[in-house]
Amino acid sequence: MRMSALFGRTLRETPADIDHPPLRLMLRAGLARLTPGAITWLPVGVRVLRRLETIVREELTHIGAQEIRFPLFRPLIALDLAPGSLAPALSTLECTDRSRRSLTFAPADPTIIASLATGEIASYRQLPVLLHQMHPAYCSDCRASWLRESLAWTVYTLNSSTSEREETGARVHTAIERIFRRCDIQLMSVEAGSIEGNGSAPRAYVAISGYGDTDLLICESCGYAAVQEAARTALGSAPGALPAGDTSDHPEEIATPDCATIADLARFCGIPESATAKAVFFDSPERGLIFAVIRGDREINLKKLCTAAGISTLTPARSEQINAIGAVAGYASPVGLQNRTPDRVLVVADPSVTAGSPLIAGANRHGYHLRNVIYGRDWRADLIADIALARAGDPCMNCSAPLRQTTGLTIGYATRSNVFTPDATFLDREGVTRPIAMASFGIYLERLILTIIEQHCDQAGIIWTPETAPFDVHLIRLGKHDATREAADALYDELIAAGIAVLYDDRDDTAGVKFNDADLIGVPLRLVISDRFLSDGLVEIKQRATGAITKTPRQEIIAEVRNTGLFS
């Protein structure tokens, strides 16, 4: 590719409001541009994407995965709204077409896999099957708006049993690790969801980054690591902190005017927030009103609460729902609810309020609270579950060492589901109909590129690894003599004929501009032909990663490029 004809240019400066260094380098090197709310890839950036696609395809083909392609949209059906459906987790956009038919954006919808499996798989002899596809993806709750739309690679495994699912999942995990090794990046596999019945949990592949969008909790003692929303701790049995002497054998009502928040209550009573019980109300499509009770100094983890209660989503409860069970917003507690029945409200308690220590809780009367409330004596929950959002300093679930908080960039994920539709079945060896067990894995290519840039750069620009670089060689012509121009053009043609990808700087710019652009773009090898070198019959070779410079006879340049060991 000649730079004089290349669409997209390097930038000396980037917009001042961009505080993400890898993104700044990506924009300055001419790989991409930021359009409203998204990344637009320029030709050089697309070449990097193609290199990554090649790596992914090679490694997935190596483990026997076969490529498929889903439609972008499908009709919105009742199953999408049914409890336990996988579709709501993966479908983030809905629309209508000109005929007013409801559609959902579902390029990775597992229900399509279910439909395919129903028609194509009949016997255990056809399992396991590994399928994969590249597709656009959209994440509506991503912190950075420019990362919400991405190009993703999803792998699906269809299996005859959970044990087979674990075996094929291990094969995919190995392939993904090889992909990341070929990209020469460092990352972690961390917990990203609740533990399943077989002891496994969804995982996320995360690169530690000060500019990431994923909050992590890490134990430096035993190596435990998890996304904050999925992190488990040993905090559940920690007691509250009512001052000594503030207890009796029954709850005592106390006036607490203008104390509708935990902070106000703790300040008014002169106690720590950990000595209070916090009541939070939610509405759910499957079970109606959810009444969550947690220690006052903790926050509720909505994902944990959804999992514990077996519901798909939570929204703030309406005042009429709260009033209907005899609770008073701001002064609510599960003690003495007048109209509580299992079909009207589900009370979920975090272990932090069930340890037996006395707490101050609402009295379900405006302006009043109850002192000395004890779980088991004064109230009981329908369900006890860890619903607390873990935070830095909490004790590790495995070794009780304090957890450290950091941030990372999520590059991929691994999830599992035993059954994704009742219709996706097969006949086992005994002729019994069994459900197909499924696992899915994903890689986000834009995030992978950002990680490569962050982990392989210096003050001058990007330092591409040989397998991920947009070009193998950056050829620079210096001087305006016709002989130099002809020699550079001839070398450009020879390199291409030898199967070497070349970015040829044939512009009439100064040496400083060309060298700065070469360092910024970061191609592994820089070749320089100049008036002076040409008179000596030499070509200068510089390795971007090491800075090593050698001069090689013109007729030996192809062999020397290959001898660098950077290319096959």
Side-chain angles (χ1 to χ4, degrees):
M1 172 61 70
R2 292 175 180 264
M3 288 190 71
S4 60
L6 180 64
F7 182 75
R9 59 188 178 88
T10 58
L11 305 175
R12 300 279 75 81
E13 301 292 339
T14 49
D17 59 343
I18 296 178
D19 58 358
H20 195 286
L23 176 62
R24 287 204 299 265
L25 278 180
M26 196 166 72
L27 300 179
R28 289 188 56 215
L31 273 71
R33 293 290 181 259
L34 277 186
T35 50
I39 294 175
T40 295
W41 292 98
L42 298 179
V44 174
V46 170
R47 292 183 67 94
V48 177
L49 286 171
R50 295 292 175 262
R51 287 282 179 102
L52 297 183
E53 290 172 22
T54 298
I55 293 173
V56 173
R57 278 197 175 92
E58 288 177 354
E59 294 301 336
L60 294 180
T61 299
H62 181 73
I63 63 171
Q66 305 171 66
E67 189 165 4
I68 57 175
R69 185 62 57 89
F70 284 3
L72 287 180
F73 292 88
R74 66 162 175 76
L76 186 66
I77 57 178
L79 177 63
D80 298 334
L81 307 177
S85 170
L86 289 182
L90 297 173
S91 174
T92 55
L93 294 175
E94 296 176 9
C95 64
T96 56
D97 62 14
R98 291 184 178 180
S99 299
R100 299 185 180 278
R101 289 172 296 196
S102 295
L103 301 175
T104 179
F105 177 76
D109 188 350
T111 62
I112 298 180
I113 285 284
S115 177
L116 290 173
T118 300
E120 303 298 331
I121 295 176
S123 168
Y124 72 93
R125 295 184 179 89
Q126 297 170 272
L127 297 171
V129 173
L130 280 74
L131 304 172
H132 68 94
Q133 68 154 339
M134 184 180 69
H135 59 88
Y138 188 82
C139 176
S140 60
D141 58 356
C142 181
R143 293 180 190 173
S145 61
W146 48 271
L147 272 179
R148 289 173 186 167
E149 183 178 338
S150 63
L151 191 62
W153 216 295
T154 301
V155 185
Y156 311 89
T157 73
L158 308 180
N159 313 275
S160 61
S161 63
T162 54
S163 60
E164 184 177 81
R165 184 189 66 184
E166 295 303 311
E167 293 173 4
T168 55
R171 287 163 57 193
V172 177
H173 177 72
T174 299
I176 290 176
E177 286 189 327
R178 285 200 298 263
I179 291 168
F180 294 148
R181 280 200 300 270
R182 289 177 64 176
C183 294
D184 195 15
I185 59 173
Q186 301 295 319
L187 47 75
M188 303 174 65
S189 174
V190 305
E191 280 188 12
S194 59
I195 299 294
E196 296 180 351
N198 61 1
S200 63
R203 310 289 295 180
Y205 301 101
V206 181
I208 300 298
S209 170
Y211 308 97
D213 64 348
T214 301
D215 294 320
L216 303 172
L217 289 174
I218 297 173
C219 177
E220 296 180 339
S221 177
C222 69
Y224 172 77
V227 174
Q228 185 178 23
E229 290 184 337
R232 298 171 294 133
T233 73
L235 189 70
S237 59
L242 267 183
D246 276 3
T247 64
S248 64
D249 58 358
H250 63 276
E252 300 174 356
E253 189 175 80
I254 57 174
T256 52
D258 300 321
C259 292
T261 69
I262 292 296
D264 292 338
L265 176 64
R267 188 164 43 249
F268 180 84
C269 296
I271 59 172
E273 293 184 4
S274 60
T276 68
K278 182 190 298 183
V280 188
F281 295 90
F282 300 97
D283 190 15
S284 68
E286 296 89 356
R287 306 194 67 164
L289 186 64
I290 306 292
F291 185 176
V293 188
I294 193 170
R295 210 171 70 188
D297 62 326
R298 308 299 298 189
E299 297 298 327
I300 291 177
N301 185 322
L302 297 185
K303 288 189 176 180
K304 283 185 179 179
L305 180 55
C306 283
T307 300
I311 55 181
S312 59
T313 187
L314 291 167
T315 57
R318 303 183 304 276
S319 58
E320 56 267 27
Q321 290 178 294
I322 299 174
N323 295 337
I325 64 169
V328 177
Y331 298 87
S333 83
V335 180
L337 289 180
Q338 300 172 2
N339 301 313
R340 174 184 164 188
T341 57
D343 60 337
R344 293 174 64 89
V345 58
L346 177 70
V347 178
V348 183
D350 185 77
S352 61
V353 295
T354 64
S357 298
L359 299 171
I360 291 183
N364 291 317
R365 179 184 174 195
H366 187 81
Y368 290 86
H369 280 80
L370 295 175
R371 185 191 298 273
N372 190 33
V373 171
I374 296 179
Y375 181 83
R377 185 192 68 183
D378 305 315
W379 69 283
R380 291 187 180 277
D382 300 310
L383 177 66
I384 299 176
D386 174 13
I387 57 173
L389 181 67
R391 63 192 185 194
D394 285 352
C396 172
M397 174 63 72
N398 297 330
C399 68
S400 296
L403 296 174
R404 178 177 66 88
Q405 186 165 353
T406 185
T407 58
L409 192 66
T410 299
I411 303 174
Y413 66 87
T415 62
R416 296 173 175 86
S417 177
N418 287 334
V419 185
F420 50 95
T421 176
D423 297 328
T425 59
F426 68 97
L427 295 179
D428 65 11
R429 294 176 184 271
E430 288 74 36
V432 178
T433 299
R434 303 285 187 189
I436 294 176
M438 177 184 175
S440 63
F441 301 77
I443 299 174
Y444 302 105
L445 297 188
E446 282 90 348
R447 292 166 172 264
L448 181 53
I449 291 176
L450 286 167
T451 299
I452 294 170
I453 292 174
E454 182 171 4
Q455 296 186 8
H456 296 276
C457 67
D458 59 19
Q459 292 184 343
I462 304 169
I463 306 174
W464 289 109
T465 62
E467 286 209 76
T468 61
F471 300 92
D472 301 324
V473 167
H474 192 140
L475 174 61
I476 294 177
R477 172 180 57 78
L478 297 180
K480 299 182 180 180
H481 293 169
D482 290 342
T484 304
R485 185 185 303 275
E486 292 170 1
D489 289 350
L491 180 55
Y492 174 58
D493 292 337
E494 288 179 31
L495 289 166
I496 292 176
I500 297 171
V502 186
L503 178 60
Y504 176 23
D505 194 342
D506 59 339
R507 301 171 300 172
D508 293 327
D509 280 319
T510 65
V513 169
K514 293 189 175 187
F515 289 158
N516 287 340
D517 280 350
D519 286 341
L520 179 59
I521 297 171
V523 172
L525 280 185
R526 187 189 77 187
L527 306 184
V528 178
I529 288 185
S530 66
D531 296 340
R532 180 168 58 86
F533 291 155
L534 186 61
S535 63
D536 297 332
L538 299 174
V539 175
E540 181 184 86
I541 301 178
K542 178 182 178 181
Q543 294 192 24
R544 177 67 178 90
T546 65
I549 296 176
T550 58
K551 295 180 176 62
T552 302
R554 165 67 180 80
Q555 64 272 17
E556 299 176 9
I557 195 64
I558 300 296
E560 186 62 24
V561 167
R562 296 196 182 284
N563 287 339
T564 60
L566 297 177
F567 316 107
S568 57

